[in-house]
Amino acid sequence: MTIIVTGGAGFIGSNFVFHMLKKYPDYRIICLDCLTYAGNLSTLKSVMDNPNFRFVKASITDREAVNKLFEEEHPDMVVNFAAESHVDRSIENPSVFLETNILGTQVMMDACRKYGIKRYHQVSTDEVYGDLPLDRPDLFFTEETPIHTSSPYSASKASADLLVMAYHRTFGLPVTISRCSNNYGPYHFPEKLIPLMIANALNDKPLPVYGKGENVRDWLYVEDHCKAIDLIIHKGREGEVYNIGGHNEMKNIDIVKIIVKELGKSEDLITYVADRKGHDMRYAIDPTKIHNELGWLPETKFADGIKKTIQWYLDNKEWWEEIISGEYQNYYEKMYGNRG
């Protein structure tokens, strides 16, 4: 089995690469990543010499490069993680989100049609559903929840999902889609909430919290997410959407306080800043479908997962300090410039 993993140098993609190489030692895993700011080749250092792994630096929007890769590797499956994903950046510059998240998805699916594929899997987000009110804890996103996007990022992901389903219906492309809640864990890019708070707290820098920190997110440990996608691509039904949630709803401010306490820092570091435009209040996923059909449940309680995550950042300071300093952007050319 040969699987192309797009965006495999990013946070969730890299964890998926590690999971698949460990669980299926006879699979060939090809990572396609253009190494934008959030793709970091040093993340993949531990697998670069694995004979069943190949890294290819190219964008999913580059039709010629994608077709060449399909001709060389004849993949059985594609798992598409590649996406511009930071909401704040999408507000500053929406166009790059449309190019990567929509047109890039189209290029990948066109290659899947042209060269034949057993499964194309689109990694999406619960943000396509919009948000839920804080005063209705009984409400959850299901696969039937109407799409109602809030940001250019979530609109671009929703557009890609619709395109994936259209390719399934029109061309018979064997597809699945997963929509996950907020992930956390090792190799999380330091501009996101949890790693940013860990890094800033360790350096005694202010901890910026939007609004009053009342926004609620459903947190999913990244390894649990990878196991869910593994199940979907092997056993999920074609043309289906699966919600993947952690059953770990937390207010942002409570997460920040947990991190502060765990690191032995003062809550005086917490600084409240002006809220994000169109900021969604609450996300919460009902993962009943994937549990009933595929037997998946999240295994990691937040109290355990956050401790493991904090410990990982303490043990791997070099990784995130390089990113914060910007040096990681030179890493590719320095280490792997001559690798195909």
Side-chain angles (χ1 to χ4, degrees), residues 282-336:
R282 173 175 170 256
Y283 302 148
I285 272 184
D286 178 357
T288 301
K289 179 177 176 178
I290 189 171
H291 174 60
N292 288 346
E293 287 193 18
L294 305 178
W296 179 87
L297 277 177
E299 297 168 27
T300 311
K301 291 188 173 71
F302 189 80
D304 301 327
I306 193 69
K307 282 194 166 93
K308 281 200 282 188
T309 301
I310 290 169
Q311 191 58 51
W312 188 89
Y313 279 88
L314 289 170
D315 295 341
N316 294 273
K317 279 188 181 180
E318 192 181 317
W319 179 83
W320 56 265
E321 283 176 348
E322 259 189 9
I323 291 176
I324 290 170
S325 72
E327 283 173 28
Y328 81 102
Q329 288 165 339
N330 303 322
Y331 190 89
Y332 174 80
E333 290 305 327
K334 189 172 68 183
M335 295 296 291
Y336 301 107

Side-chain angles (χ1 to χ4, degrees), residues 3-21 29-36 38-48 53-60 69 78-83 108 123 186-187 222 226 319:
I3 301 178
I4 291 177
V5 179
T6 70
F11 165 42
I12 308 174
S14 62
N15 277 280
F16 184 71
V17 166
F18 302 145
H19 168 81
M20 296 300 284
L21 285 170
I29 305 295
I30 317 297
C31 171
L32 178 68
D33 199 303
C34 67
L35 299 179
T36 56
N40 185 353
L41 205 58
S42 65
T43 300
L44 297 169
K45 198 173 356 184
S46 66
V47 297
M48 286 303 274
F53 177 76
R54 177 187 175 195
F55 177 82
V56 178
K57 184 178 187 290
S59 170
I60 61 170
L69 182 59
V78 169
V79 181
N80 183 25
F81 288 96
M108 292 307 301
V123 180
Y187 299 106
V222 67
C226 293
W319 179 83

Side-chain angles (χ1 to χ4, degrees), residues 126-193:
D126 61 354
E127 293 189 41
V128 302
Y129 299 124
D131 66 350
L132 296 165
L134 290 176
D135 59 358
R136 288 293 304 278
D138 55 314
L139 294 180
F140 295 88
F141 297 138
T142 72
E143 291 80 1
E144 308 304 317
T145 301
I147 284 173
H148 186 71
T149 59
S150 304
S151 69
Y153 161 62
S154 57
S156 69
K157 291 297 287 183
S159 303
D161 287 2
L162 293 172
L163 195 61
V164 169
M165 297 309 279
Y167 267 58
H168 172 64
R169 184 163 178 175
T170 304
F171 304 118
L173 192 69
V175 307
T176 40
I177 296 173
S178 58
R179 293 175 180 151
C180 67
S181 54
N182 284 40
N183 280 224
Y184 70 105
Y187 299 106
H188 201 174
F189 195 73
E191 71 182 358
K192 303 290 182 139
L193 177 72

Side-chain angles (χ1 to χ4, degrees), residues 28-268:
R28 182 162 168 75
I29 305 295
I30 317 297
C31 171
L32 178 68
D33 199 303
C34 67
L35 299 179
T36 56
Y37 72 93
N40 185 353
L41 205 58
S42 65
T43 300
L44 297 169
K45 198 173 356 184
S46 66
V47 297
M48 286 303 274
D49 292 324
N50 186 319
N52 283 339
F53 177 76
R54 177 187 175 195
F55 177 82
V56 178
K57 184 178 187 290
S59 170
I60 61 170
T61 60
D62 185 341
R63 195 175 290 273
E64 192 178 328
V66 168
N67 285 348
K68 180 172 179 278
L69 182 59
F70 270 71
E71 283 175 9
E72 290 169 356
E73 295 290 352
H74 308 288
D76 300 287
M77 292 185 178
V78 169
V79 181
N80 183 25
F81 288 96
E84 298 286 345
S85 67
H86 197 271
V87 174
D88 289 342
R89 287 178 186 257
S90 82
I91 294 168
E92 292 298 316
N93 182 12
S95 62
V96 68
F97 283 72
L98 308 188
E99 287 162 19
T100 302
N101 299 356
I102 304 172
L103 299 180
T105 297
Q106 183 201 11
V107 168
M108 292 307 301
M109 290 195 297
D110 284 345
C112 289
R113 285 186 61 216
K114 184 175 181 180
Y115 297 100
I117 201 99
K118 290 176 184 168
R119 177 65 57 89
Y120 172 88
H121 182 74
Q122 179 76 2
V123 180
S124 187
T125 169
D126 61 354
E127 293 189 41
V128 302
Y129 299 124
D131 66 350
L132 296 165
L134 290 176
D135 59 358
R136 288 293 304 278
D138 55 314
L139 294 180
F140 295 88
F141 297 138
T142 72
E143 291 80 1
E144 308 304 317
T145 301
I147 284 173
H148 186 71
T149 59
S150 304
S151 69
Y153 161 62
S154 57
S156 69
K157 291 297 287 183
S159 303
D161 287 2
L162 293 172
L163 195 61
V164 169
M165 297 309 279
Y167 267 58
H168 172 64
R169 184 163 178 175
T170 304
F171 304 118
L173 192 69
V175 307
T176 40
I177 296 173
S178 58
R179 293 175 180 151
C180 67
S181 54
N182 284 40
N183 280 224
Y184 70 105
Y187 299 106
H188 201 174
F189 195 73
E191 71 182 358
K192 303 290 182 139
L193 177 72
I194 288 176
L196 177 68
M197 296 301 150
I198 295 171
N200 280 14
L202 286 171
N203 292 313
D204 293 307
K205 288 183 174 177
L207 307 180
V209 175
Y210 280 129
K212 297 177 182 174
E214 297 286 312
N215 308 70
V216 171
R217 299 292 180 261
D218 174 15
W219 292 92
L220 175 66
Y221 195 59
V222 67
E223 283 179 22
D224 291 345
H225 185 193
C226 293
K227 289 174 183 176
I229 293 173
D230 176 6
L231 273 171
I232 293 167
I233 62 175
H234 287 100
K235 296 178 179 173
R237 289 184 292 137
E238 285 181 19
E240 291 293 321
V241 174
Y242 293 92
N243 281 351
I244 308 172
H247 275 318
N248 279 308
E249 284 189 58
M250 299 282 293
K251 287 182 185 176
N252 287 349
I253 188 61
D254 292 338
I255 287 175
V256 176
K257 286 179 178 177
I258 288 170
I259 292 168
V260 166
K261 186 178 178 187
E262 199 71 28
L263 293 173
K265 299 291 182 175
S266 166
E267 286 188 10
D268 292 343

